[in-house]
Amino acid sequence: MTQNELVSAREQIDTLDEQIQALISRRARIAQQIALIKQGMGDVGDHYRPSREAEVLRAVIARNRAAGGPLTDETIARLMREIMSACLSLESPLTIAYLGPEGTYTQAAVLKHFGDSVRARAANAIDEIFRDVESSAADYGVVPVENSIGGVVSHTLDELVHTTLRICGEVTLPVHHHLLSQADALAGIRKVYAHPQSFAQCRKWLDARLPQADREAVSSNGQAAAQARQEGAGVAAIASLQAGRINDLNILASNIEDDPSNTTRFLVLGKQDPAPTGQDLTSIVLTGHRNQPGALLRLLQPLSDAGLDMTRIESRPVKGSAVRDYYFFIDFTGHAASEKVRDVLDAVSGTAAFFKVLGSYPRAVV
């Protein structure tokens, strides 16, 4: 490439940057107009619409694939997510509760789903996230529900049984754990802090490389990083790179999870029922009638008969029950607004001893 060709290419980029900026500003002004229109129609709540945002992001990915990139689907979706987040903040700034402190994977899930133009509100425990949203101290909450290695997050399932909130969306986040410390090397590390799920996800690595170190569970990986900062050399934390930056810790080892495909699924909690998008999940919780052989089969049969794909089933003991009663948490494809799913829900609820719809919501886009 000649110097003249380089100058010409840079001039083209400058021109495109100017056009992109002008279009983003135009989009933001239209977002402000939409806010005024909604206010005039009596819509005074927040203007976040999970279904609409999922549809926009899916259209972005489809256009990217049709154009052949060169940016990845995830990259182009994240760029559009930030534009959407900034524009939505002009309509109605959102407060999102998450499991703190700063630097947790739950905070990363908040930013992936909502973008950076939200107010992230750290909570000390999962039940506090539910209370913050129920009391309107936060507009939405993000909670972990399952990990591909460590399994379900029992505190989230327990809270879902009794809450009045609805599941409005899901976030899937690839999780890469890092060993962080004020020390410069593994030698001399005598204690490791982490969330119990992280210990489960990194067990083989810890057994092989730090068998002598004590393992102390804390409420979050952000808290683990804070403990490592406070206690100094000889103490390490399993946490995210963001937690390491916040607490000024050294990276002793990266990607220490036992499975490189390690992924955590998060739920978005709110008070609205998203509209159908055509790519949705419905979540329910139920119990069968006691001492009836085949009760679970009868509960699940309507899903099979309707051809609905059950994507997850988990069980949790019913607290306070003198006998072995269990809640069954079930996710399946489809939206409660469709006639097929409504018929299935009616059939299942008529067979169950306890039944509750937790929400119908768009599947994670990226």
Side-chain angles (χ1 to χ4, degrees):
M1 177 177 286
T2 66
Q3 183 65 30
N4 288 339
E5 289 174 325
L6 179 60
V7 170
S8 175
R10 286 174 172 170
E11 288 176 348
Q12 291 178 58
I13 286 179
D14 290 342
T15 299
L16 289 170
D17 285 347
E18 184 178 348
Q19 294 172 1
I20 291 170
Q21 184 175 347
L23 288 171
I24 292 174
S25 296
R26 182 180 176 187
R27 189 188 195 283
R29 283 191 288 270
I30 294 175
Q32 289 178 312
Q33 294 174 13
I34 290 174
L36 294 175
I37 292 170
K38 289 180 176 178
Q39 290 173 9
M41 297 170 60
D43 185 354
V44 295
D46 73 78
H47 298 144
Y48 168 66
R49 296 294 178 265
S51 301
R52 168 64 178 162
E53 301 217 351
E55 289 170 347
V56 170
L57 291 177
R58 287 179 185 140
V60 167
I61 290 173
R63 288 194 295 268
N64 189 57
R65 292 175 179 175
L71 297 177
T72 65
D73 290 346
E74 183 172 359
T75 298
I76 200 72
R78 285 190 175 230
L79 287 171
M80 180 56 74
R81 155 59 61 211
E82 289 303 329
I83 293 172
M84 294 165 65
S85 178
C87 291
L88 181 63
S89 70
L90 297 174
E91 296 183 58
S92 54
L94 297 177
T95 298
I96 315 297
Y98 72 95
L99 184 61
E102 279 191 284
T104 62
Y105 294 106
T106 313
Q107 184 186 27
V110 169
L111 299 179
K112 180 180 181 181
H113 190 79
F114 288 96
D116 283 287
S117 298
V118 295
R119 293 188 290 257
R121 175 186 175 94
N124 293 320
I126 286 174
D127 62 316
E128 287 187 22
I129 299 172
F130 279 82
R131 288 199 297 271
D132 280 351
V133 183
E134 288 168 345
S135 67
S136 298
D139 299 296
Y140 297 90
V142 174
V143 293
V145 67
E146 63 178 331
N147 176 265
S148 58
I149 299 175
V152 300
V153 180
S154 57
H155 292 305
T156 295
L157 296 186
D158 292 341
E159 291 295 327
L160 284 171
V161 172
H162 305 291
T163 186
T164 58
L165 300 178
R166 310 288 283 177
I167 301 175
C168 299
E170 65 168 356
V171 191
T172 55
L173 188 73
V175 174
H176 298 295
H177 293 302
H178 308 272
L179 191 72
L180 310 171
S181 177
Q182 290 188 1
D184 296 320
L186 286 177
I189 296 297
R190 53 182 171 75
K191 181 188 291 186
V192 179
Y193 286 103
H195 187 276
Q197 286 271 337
S198 298
F199 277 134
Q201 295 161 26
C202 304
R203 180 180 57 80
K204 293 179 181 178
W205 191 95
L206 291 169
D207 288 347
R209 292 169 175 81
L210 287 174
Q212 79 288 350
D214 294 331
R215 303 174 193 179
E216 187 164 333
V218 291
S219 62
S220 71
N221 290 329
Q223 179 60 37
Q227 289 291 125
R229 180 194 62 201
Q230 293 169 10
E231 297 186 25
V235 177
I238 297 175
S240 66
L241 292 177
Q242 176 67 7
R245 285 191 288 268
I246 291 170
N247 291 280
D248 195 26
L249 298 175
N250 298 320
I251 303 170
L252 300 186
S254 292
N255 300 342
I256 66 172
E257 61 277 0
D258 296 331
D259 184 347
S261 63
N262 186 25
T263 301
T264 296
R265 178 178 180 236
F266 299 83
L267 300 178
V268 180
L269 305 171
K271 297 178 180 178
Q272 64 167 292
D273 290 304
T277 68
Q279 298 185 50
D280 304 292
L281 289 175
T282 294
S283 295
I284 60 177
V285 58
L286 49 84
T287 62
H289 288 282
R290 191 182 305 164
N291 298 326
Q292 289 189 3
L296 181 58
L297 175 61
R298 286 193 292 275
L299 289 170
L300 300 179
Q301 192 64 50
L303 278 74
S304 177
D305 292 343
L308 297 175
D309 181 19
M310 186 174 66
T311 61
R312 184 178 71 106
I313 181 169
E314 302 286 351
S315 64
R316 284 286 294 161
V318 176
K319 290 184 176 181
S321 175
V323 294
R324 289 181 177 270
D325 285 339
Y326 289 88
Y327 291 116
F328 294 97
F329 295 83
I330 299 170
D331 295 345
F332 60 90
T333 56
H335 194 284
S338 74
E339 183 177 357
K340 178 190 287 189
V341 174
R342 282 201 307 270
D343 290 344
V344 167
L345 295 177
D346 288 342
V348 174
S349 63
T351 307
F354 168 85
F355 176 83
K356 179 182 178 183
V357 177
L358 301 174
S360 288
Y361 49 92
R363 302 193 74 158
V365 179
V366 291

